[in-house]
């Protein structure tokens, strides 16, 4: 856990943060981006999550209640992004402006000023879980649900080969925080609804916010 010392120190010092996530977002991307956003806000900092494609409706249970904050951007953090080409058109202007990258992909291209990449981690949400625990824990059920969703989806509900003992330990720790794992797993893996294939419900609003936020900070 001492490996998180430098990253923890950097997050302690930042404020007015734009959190970038990759296009065609998945559970680990959305869970990780929202978890970091909510966690920073819980520390009295200002933070927004940005995504070129918006947040899929199936993750509404994590994003309902999220509202973008107004601030003059000071720090740019990417989460679960291995290459700036994955940011998508709406966020392409951030390609050479990333201050901190938090990722778990071996293919990470080290594009940020500072990168923390744990290629042995099953998910970026596992990296964030261990980071938050290193920094004292104390986060709420919503953040825990974001983290569990990311770990569960990137491991295929703990069936994929990338599932590790650390992933199971994290899941157990998050369950102890009251995460409704049964509902999350059913929603992520069992329910085949029109929402899974339909257009993202919030895309247009979210895209406009991304574009507006990006242009305001150029």
């Amino acid at each position: 856990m001492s490996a998180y010392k430098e990253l923890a120190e950097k997050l302690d010092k930042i404020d007015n943060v734009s959190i970038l996530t990759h296009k065609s977002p998945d559970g680990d991307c959305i869970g990780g981006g929202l978890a970091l956003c909510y966690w920073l806000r819980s520390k009295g900092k200002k933070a927004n999550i940005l995504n070129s494609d918006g947040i899929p409706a199936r993750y509404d249970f994590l994003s309902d209640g999220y509202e973008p904050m107004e601030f003059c951007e000071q720090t740019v953090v990417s989460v679960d992004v291995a290459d700036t080409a994955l940011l998508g058109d709406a966020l392409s202007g951030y390609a050479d402006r990333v201050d901190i990258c938090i990722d778990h992909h071996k293919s990470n291209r080290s594009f940020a000023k500072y990168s923390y990449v744990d290629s042995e981690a099953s998910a970026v949400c596992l990296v964030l879980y261990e980071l938050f625990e290193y920094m004292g824990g104390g986060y709420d059920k919503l953040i825990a649900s974001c983290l569990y969703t990311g770990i569960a989806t990137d491991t295929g509900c703990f069936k994929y080969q990338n599932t590790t003992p650390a992933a199971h330990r994290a899941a157990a720790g998050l369950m102890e925080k009251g995460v409704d794992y049964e509902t999350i797993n059913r929603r992520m893996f069992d329910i085949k609804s029109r929402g899974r294939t339909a257009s993202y419900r919030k895309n247009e609003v979210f895209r406009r916010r991304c574009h507006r936020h990006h242009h305001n900070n150029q």
Side-chain angles (χ1 to χ4, degrees):
M1 291 292 245
S2 61
Y4 290 110
K5 183 175 185 295
E6 185 176 9
L7 177 57
E9 290 174 349
K10 289 183 179 296
L11 293 184
D12 266 340
K13 295 175 182 177
I14 64 174
D15 201 353
N16 293 2
V17 185
S18 290
I19 300 168
L20 312 182
T21 49
H22 62 72
K23 63 183 179 179
S24 302
D26 56 18
D28 195 29
C29 157
I30 295 301
L34 284 171
L36 181 59
C37 183
Y38 294 146
W39 185 84
L40 288 170
R41 289 182 177 188
S42 76
K43 303 301 179 183
K45 303 175 185 289
K46 294 181 179 179
N48 289 327
I49 178 176
L50 304 178
N51 188 280
S52 286
D53 294 330
I55 298 179
R58 66 188 300 221
Y59 302 112
D60 280 357
F61 70 105
L62 301 178
S63 62
D64 276 351
Y66 168 83
E67 291 292 338
M69 304 177 78
E70 295 293 331
F71 55 79
C72 182
E73 179 183 277
Q74 296 176 349
T75 308
V76 178
V77 179
S78 67
V79 173
D80 201 38
V81 179
D83 187 325
T84 54
L86 299 174
L87 291 174
D89 292 341
L91 302 181
S92 60
Y94 282 103
D96 60 352
R97 297 171 49 198
V98 181
D99 298 296
I100 300 172
C101 169
I102 304 173
D103 192 23
H104 72 114
H105 296 100
K106 292 180 180 179
S107 59
N108 188 279
R109 298 180 65 85
S110 300
F111 53 84
K113 295 175 184 175
Y114 171 82
S115 296
Y116 185 92
V117 181
D118 182 355
S119 60
E120 300 301 315
S122 303
V124 79
C125 281
L126 177 56
V127 175
L128 291 171
Y129 168 79
E130 293 180 347
L131 171 68
F132 295 165
E133 290 297 306
Y134 173 80
M135 297 182 76
Y139 46 91
D140 63 17
K141 182 178 176 179
L142 177 57
I143 294 176
S145 296
C146 290
L147 296 175
Y148 183 90
T149 299
I151 296 170
T153 53
D154 252 28
T155 59
C157 202
F158 308 94
K159 293 183 291 187
Y160 295 162
Q161 191 174 15
N162 68 331
T163 305
T164 62
H168 282 295
R169 286 193 292 269
L174 294 166
M175 289 166 64
E176 289 173 349
K177 294 180 184 295
V179 167
D180 186 356
Y181 61 91
E182 181 181 6
T183 298
I184 293 174
N185 289 335
R186 184 167 60 248
R187 181 171 184 138
M188 293 297 101
F189 303 103
D190 297 336
I191 298 175
K192 305 296 183 182
S193 67
R194 293 175 184 174
R196 294 287 294 271
T197 56
S199 297
Y200 296 156
R201 192 176 67 186
K202 298 181 178 179
N203 270 10
E204 292 309 313
V205 172
F206 202 90
R207 284 179 183 142
R208 286 197 295 271
R209 288 172 177 171
C210 284
H211 281 293
R212 184 173 65 249
H213 185 83
H214 172 59
H215 290 308
N216 288 344
N217 285 285
Q218 283 187 317

